[in-house]
């Protein structure tokens, strides 16, 4: 079941096209809850979503059914059956847009920090030399 719940999370994240879920905040789960309600006409609590994303805790079967319906499956059983062989189907209509978060690679951050240190030293040397 854990493999299927992780697969479900990945499919939802792919549909949303948001930043990595590890960066989601409470307001993102509230927004996801609203998107799920609009698409499925079923209410899923934002705190339940956050708990599910952080620990894969499932509070009810209807919770999984609703999430599966959000990514255009009939229910959780249908999701598990259709994804048993790794088939992933994302309907164009289901795709939601959210401004993607840019993640700066670590090597860039390190390079910027070193450049900043070198620039500071150069300015300091120039100021001392001009005095």
């Amino acid at each position: 079941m854990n493999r299927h719940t992780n697969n479900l999370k990945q499919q939802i994240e792919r549909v949303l096209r948001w930043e990595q879920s590890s960066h989601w905040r409470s307001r993102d789960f509230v927004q996801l809850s609203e998107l799920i309600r609009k698409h499925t006409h079923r209410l899923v609590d934002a705190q339940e979503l956050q708990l599910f994303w952080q620990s894969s805790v499932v509070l009810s079967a209807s919770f999984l059914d609703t999430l599966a319906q959000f990514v255009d499956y009939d229910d959780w059983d249908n999701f598990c059956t259709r994804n048993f062989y790794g088939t992933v189907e994302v309907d164009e209509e289901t795709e939601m847009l959210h401004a993607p978060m840019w993640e700066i690679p670590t090597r860039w951050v390190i390079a910027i920090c070193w450049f900043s240190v070198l620039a500071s030293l150069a300015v300091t040397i120039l100021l001392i030399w001009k005095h």
Side-chain angles (χ1 to χ4, degrees):
M1 179 159 160
N2 194 28
R3 181 177 63 97
H4 286 300
T5 56
N6 287 335
N7 190 357
L8 178 60
K9 289 177 196 178
Q10 290 172 352
Q11 286 192 37
I12 291 172
E13 291 169 13
R14 191 174 300 120
V15 166
L16 294 172
R17 294 184 185 176
W18 290 359
E19 63 186 330
Q20 294 177 357
S21 60
S22 59
H23 298 292
W24 290 2
R25 297 187 186 144
S26 296
R27 68 172 185 255
D28 296 311
F29 291 102
V30 170
Q31 186 176 6
L32 176 57
S33 174
E34 183 60 25
L35 290 171
I36 290 170
R37 186 192 62 75
K38 285 180 182 176
H39 187 75
T40 65
H41 305 291
R42 296 174 77 181
L43 183 63
V44 175
D45 183 61
Q47 290 178 336
E48 287 181 33
L49 287 168
Q50 190 168 5
L51 181 64
F52 175 67
W53 245 267
Q54 293 171 350
S55 64
S56 293
V57 170
V58 177
L59 300 175
S60 68
S62 67
F63 175 83
L64 291 174
D65 285 340
T66 303
L67 293 183
Q69 288 171 4
F70 180 67
V71 286
D72 286 337
Y73 293 88
D74 296 331
D75 56 23
W76 174 246
D77 289 335
N78 179 252
F79 176 86
C80 292
T81 302
R82 287 175 57 191
N83 286 282
F84 183 73
Y85 297 107
T87 303
V88 176
E89 295 181 25
V90 177
D91 188 344
E92 292 280 330
E93 185 178 314
T94 307
E95 292 184 4
M96 308 290 176
L97 297 177
H98 187 281
M101 182 84 167
W102 285 36
E103 189 166 322
I104 301 173
T106 306
R107 67 177 187 271
W108 287 20
V109 173
I110 293 170
I112 291 168
C113 288
W114 276 111
F115 179 74
S116 163
V117 168
L118 293 175
S120 297
L121 287 173
V123 168
T124 303
I125 291 169
L126 286 173
L127 286 173
I128 291 172
W129 183 57
K130 286 289 183 180
H131 238 358

